[in-house]
Amino acid sequence: MVDTTPLTRAVDHFADRLRAAPQSRLQRGGAAEALALARELARRTQLVEEPGAELRNMPDAGMFAAADQITVAGHDLALVLKSDDEVVEAVRLVEEARGRAGV
């Protein structure tokens, strides 16, 4: 079994930072980065769960939902990862997005 704790911690940390961020920070790109990350994490989950199926795009539920969207997408991905390398790659994506979001 793969330890996905680093991924869930990284996602939860990013989500907590978004929830604590001022609205102006979210408007300057923090929410957009979070949505892009949530969409990528969801895409990766779909590729594992439903290979060959048409991919669905996570909707934009607004800047105040971005933290919840990355939490759900990140935890879903953690359930399907099969190797430590996949976990490391997912954590890298989260950390890069958090850096770009400025939170």
Side-chain angles (χ1 to χ4, degrees):
M1 179 154 218
V2 176
D3 180 14
T4 58
T5 304
L7 174 57
T8 56
R9 283 185 182 158
V11 166
D12 291 346
H13 178 71
F14 187 10
D16 288 345
R17 300 290 302 198
L18 285 168
R19 289 182 185 105
Q23 182 174 346
S24 61
R25 175 76 43 97
L26 297 175
Q27 290 171 324
R28 284 194 309 263
E33 279 296 332
L35 177 60
L37 174 65
R39 285 177 170 166
E40 177 59 20
L41 298 177
R43 184 189 73 80
R44 289 173 182 236
T45 302
Q46 289 177 53
L47 289 171
V48 172
E49 289 183 331
E50 302 173 46
E54 184 176 335
L55 295 175
R56 298 172 307 280
N57 196 26
M58 182 174 285
D60 183 346
M63 76 174 109
F64 298 113
D68 294 331
Q69 287 180 297
I70 64 167
T71 300
V72 169
H75 284 256
D76 283 351
L77 181 60
L79 293 173
V80 301
L81 294 179
K82 294 178 174 68
S83 73
D84 292 335
D85 289 342
E86 290 176 336
V87 173
V88 169
E89 171 65 12
V91 170
R92 182 188 64 77
L93 288 174
V94 173
E95 293 301 327
E96 287 177 357
R98 188 178 59 79
R100 287 190 302 271
V103 295

